[in-house]
Each structure stands twice: as structure tokens, then as C-alpha cells.
Amino acid sequence: MPDRDRQDATLEWVERVATFCIEEWGLTPITGRILGLLMICDPPEQSAGQIAEAIHASRASLTSNMRLLTTIGLVRKARIPGDRTAYYRIEDDAWQKVIHRKIASLGAFGDIAEDGLALVDDTNSARTERIRAAQQALTWLRDITDRHRMDS
């Protein structure tokens, strides 16, 4: 594939990652583009300037999004000896972190649903069934994940 076609295909893929991050996780487009770029770039470490240029973002918007991604542990800031530039790379376990956080938040909502069941005294009502359905599904997911962690 010629370099220009490869670059266009890469940017299209980065946009697909960004669209997923927007639709599924409510992230900003720039945050999704950063994640996509850091997944596919070579070398894996990129400066803020390189990232901004590649995804056509301003340095100001890039800075706040990089801060978010480093704070939540998906991206790591790295220094190269003898180079004053800060570089960024996606954490090796970034996707594990995403999955664990999602499961933990769903499990936490299962706990909230359990508390809701305690508030409802009519065991066979439609509202009880709505709460019970959420509680059972979400605590099932949490329990499966807990068992998997114990087996590992």
C-alpha cells in the first residue's frame, strides 16, 4: 500500500476508534483520536506536538485530554534520556483497566439495585421486577468476574 493510502487508512481507523469512544463511553472526539493514534502509531511514544499534528488538534485541547488520559491511567508520560520533550504512550494494560472499571461500575449499580429491593415491600409488583432484573443481571456479572479473578 502506498504511504499516502496507508496514512489515510490509518486516520480512518483512528476516526473509527474515536467514534466508538464517543458513542460507547461519552468521551470527546479528541480523546478518542488520541487513544486510537497511540494504539497504532510507530514508534509507540509520541510527543504532544506529533499527536496534535497527526489528529489535527490544537495543543490546548490536546493538553487537557492528555491530562485526563494520564490521570485515569490509560496513557503514560515518558521521558527519553537527553531529550527535554515529554512523550506519551498507551499503557500496556489500558484495555484491562477499561474493562475492570466498567465491570466494577456495573457491579456497584447492582448493589444500588439491592438497596432498592429493600425499599420495596410488594414482592410481586412490576416495579419490584424491574429492580430485581437489574440487580440479578448486574450482580451476576460482578460475581462471574470475582470468580474469574480468584481462579487466575
Side-chain angles (χ1 to χ4, degrees):
M1 180 181 294
D3 284 346
R4 184 70 186 151
D5 290 345
R6 184 178 308 278
Q7 185 179 13
D8 289 345
T10 299
L11 288 177
E12 286 176 24
W13 185 82
V14 167
E15 277 304 310
R16 287 178 58 203
V17 173
T19 299
F20 177 87
C21 291
I22 293 163
E23 292 174 357
E24 296 297 322
W25 301 333
L27 296 176
T28 66
I30 291 174
T31 306
R33 288 182 190 118
I34 293 167
L35 286 172
L37 180 71
L38 290 177
M39 287 173 66
I40 202 166
C41 65
D42 187 32
E45 295 86 11
Q46 298 286 305
S47 70
Q50 290 170 312
I51 296 167
E53 183 179 333
I55 65 171
H56 309 291
S58 72
R59 291 287 297 263
S61 63
L62 185 81
T63 300
S64 60
N65 285 283
M66 292 306 289
R67 190 174 305 118
L68 167 71
L69 290 168
T70 55
T71 299
I72 62 176
L74 298 181
V75 170
R76 172 172 31 113
K77 191 181 220 180
R79 298 263 182 205
I80 296 174
D83 189 344
R84 292 177 18 178
T85 304
Y87 293 89
Y88 299 90
R89 70 174 288 144
I90 196 159
E91 287 284 6
D92 293 336
D93 65 347
W95 304 111
Q96 256 185 316
K97 289 177 182 176
V98 168
I99 291 167
H100 287 292
R101 285 185 183 134
K102 281 289 183 193
I103 291 171
S105 71
L106 290 170
F109 194 79
D111 295 341
I112 292 170
E114 284 180 7
D115 294 343
L117 286 172
L119 294 173
V120 182
D121 56 1
D122 48 344
T123 58
N124 293 321
S125 73
R127 71 180 179 161
T128 301
E129 288 308 310
R130 290 191 304 267
I131 297 169
R132 184 175 289 119
Q135 181 270 333
Q136 288 174 342
L138 297 172
T139 55
W140 171 83
L141 181 61
R142 181 194 59 211
D143 294 346
I144 290 286
T145 305
D146 290 346
R147 276 197 298 273
H148 176 69
R149 280 191 200 138
M150 284 189 256
D151 292 343
S152 298

